[in-house]
Every structure is written in C-alpha cells, then in structure tokens.
Amino acid sequence: MTSRRTRLRLIDRLRSEGIKNEAVLAAMLEIPRHIFMGEALASRAYENTALPIGYGQTISQPYIVARMTEALLSGGLLNTVLEIGTGSGYQAAILARLVKSVYTVERITALLIEAKSRFQELGLDNVKVQNSNGYDGWKDQAPFDGIIATAAPFEVPKVLLEQLADGGRLVIPVGDQYRQVLKLIIRQGDQFKEEQLEMVSFVPMLHGGR
Ligand code: SAH
C-alpha cells in the first residue's frame, strides 16, 4: 500500500500529467506521503487526490504540490523559501529536499505541532516553523527567494510581495472560497511580472491570526 512501487506509480502519473522537473519528482518519490495523514487515510496516500487532515483543512493533491514546486523552481535553484499554510507539512517536506532553508507558518497550533514532529522523524532539519498569521509573512527572515501560499486569499497580500527578494518568485492561488487562479509572480526590482498557471481549489487564507 505504501510501498515504493505504489509511489513510483504516482510519479509516473505526475509525469504523464506534465510534470517535468526530475528533481521535484525525485523528492516526491523519496518523501513518504502516508505519514502526513491519519492512519485511516494512509492507504489512499498515493492516490492523486487531496485528503482531509482535520480542523477542516486538507493536504493538497500531489499533482498540485508538484506543479507549484516546479513553478517556484522554474527560474533555478533557491536558497530560502517561505510557505504560508504548513498544514500536514507535506509541501514543506518536499521543499526541504530541494532548497537550502524552508520557513513555514501555520495558524492552527495543533497542525503545526504534528507537522514539526514529522520533519524531525524524516530528519529534515532545514525547516523552521512559526505559529502565526500568513498575512504577516515572516518579517525577521525576509527577504525570500521564493514564497508559496497553500491557502487562498482574495487578493495577493502586499506584505508577501514586499518580502520577496529581487528576482524572487511567489506562487499563490488567488480567488474566492471555491475556485482560484494559481499565479506565478516574479519580482524585478519594484516591478512584479505575473503569469496565470491554472484554476485550482484551495482552502481560504483566513484573516484574524490564530
Ligand atoms: N501545505 C499544506 C496544505 C495546507 S491546507 C500541506 O502540504 O499539507 C492550508 C493551510 O493553511 C491550513 O492548514 C490552514 O490552517 C492554513 N492557513 C489558512 N489561513 C492561514 C493564515 N492566514 N495564516 C497561516 N496559515 C493559514
């Protein structure tokens, strides 16, 4: 159920859906997705689908994790990445294999505690977590080479643009509660170049801190 062969099948599927970055695919082969969810759902971990992780939140569909990670890295390797919405920790764990340092913020304390213990279990010591509101970014650690939001605001928070390094890339779903456009925004000095990737469906990025 959770064997390497099952994981390989998922990787083949991602490839057939257009994921080309071999480093991203290798990271997704290596990081076991089943430990990022409750035991009752673990048998479905290698299906290409989003799954509930409690507190009304979900672990994203593997295809979307791959697509967003690929978009984030499409300009080359990155040193520091900020993630908004740690959730289960899966996306952060994939990033941890691909960039130097991952900073991830989550508003639900219980999810963050679980995610942190998974990073420890996998020996991912380049992930730093913070229990805070993603609308504030992570000021002390800014600027970031990349920012990835896995919860959707109605519009791009200005703070996140400000916390991007020159040349940095922001991957973010933007829209209402049900459907959003996944955007790739690249900072060039004080200019922001925007590309629309595809339609997605994320949980909302909530206001009001914790
Ligand atoms: N990246 C996650 C999926 C996250 S689901 C994974 O790989 O499992 C979205 C997460 O964003 C939820 O856990 C939710 O609690 C969190 N979230 C929503 N609004 C937030 C905000 N304003 N600040 C921080 N986290 C937020």
Side-chain angles (χ1 to χ4, degrees):
M1 247 185 320
T2 49
S3 67
R4 191 177 162 86
R5 218 174 71 202
T6 318
R7 261 185 251 171
L8 270 171
R9 237 189 340 254
L10 174 62
I11 301 307
D12 282 346
R13 167 113 190 243
L14 297 177
R15 207 177 259 123
S16 75
E17 289 188 358
I19 304 301
K20 292 191 179 68
N21 187 318
E22 288 299 327
V24 172
L25 292 166
M28 292 186 69
L29 179 61
E30 207 172 320
I31 298 290
R33 187 165 180 259
H34 65 272
I35 69 162
F36 290 86
M37 59 194 65
E39 274 177 31
L41 285 171
S43 64
R44 302 187 55 198
Y46 300 99
E47 292 175 19
N48 189 18
T49 177
L51 291 166
I53 53 171
Y55 310 92
Q57 308 304 323
T58 53
I59 177 171
S60 309
Q61 183 193 8
Y63 168 76
I64 293 295
V65 172
R67 184 83 172 90
M68 290 174 81
T69 309
E70 194 170 64
L72 198 67
L73 299 179
S74 55
L77 294 181
L78 305 179
N79 275 320
T80 56
V81 171
L82 169 68
E83 179 194 30
I84 311 296
T86 317
S88 69
Y90 181 68
Q91 172 74 72
I94 298 296
L95 287 169
R97 302 307 308 239
L98 297 163
V99 309
K100 196 155 161 255
S101 304
V102 180
Y103 298 87
T104 181
V105 306
E106 168 61 55
R107 57 187 285 283
I108 301 176
T109 314
L111 285 176
L112 200 62
I113 291 170
E114 285 176 40
K116 206 174 164 186
S117 76
R118 291 172 183 135
F119 302 143
Q120 274 160 4
E121 187 184 335
L122 294 171
L124 301 172
D125 52 16
N126 59 339
V127 185
K128 303 274 180 296
V129 306
Q130 185 171 265
N131 190 196
S132 62
N133 183 355
Y135 283 100
D136 299 331
W138 191 329
K139 204 163 177 244
D140 296 348
Q141 299 295 342
F144 300 96
D145 300 324
I147 300 180
I148 183 169
T150 62
F154 287 116
E155 48 188 59
V156 179
K158 209 167 148 242
V159 169
L160 298 186
L161 296 174
E162 287 165 0
Q163 292 187 7
L164 267 186
D166 194 8
R169 308 162 83 80
L170 167 63
V171 178
I172 186 165
V174 183
D176 68 25
Q177 204 179 333
Y178 304 101
R179 249 168 103 68
Q180 306 103 26
V181 184
L182 185 62
K183 295 185 175 183
L184 167 64
I185 298 169
I186 302 170
R187 178 170 199 165
Q188 290 163 343
D190 288 334
Q191 309 271 64
F192 294 89
K193 198 185 94 192
E194 185 177 308
E195 209 179 294
Q196 304 206 347
L197 302 179
E198 60 189 271
M199 295 306 291
V200 289
S201 180
F202 274 86
V203 295
M205 192 186 287
L206 296 174
H207 275 286
R210 307 190 226 169

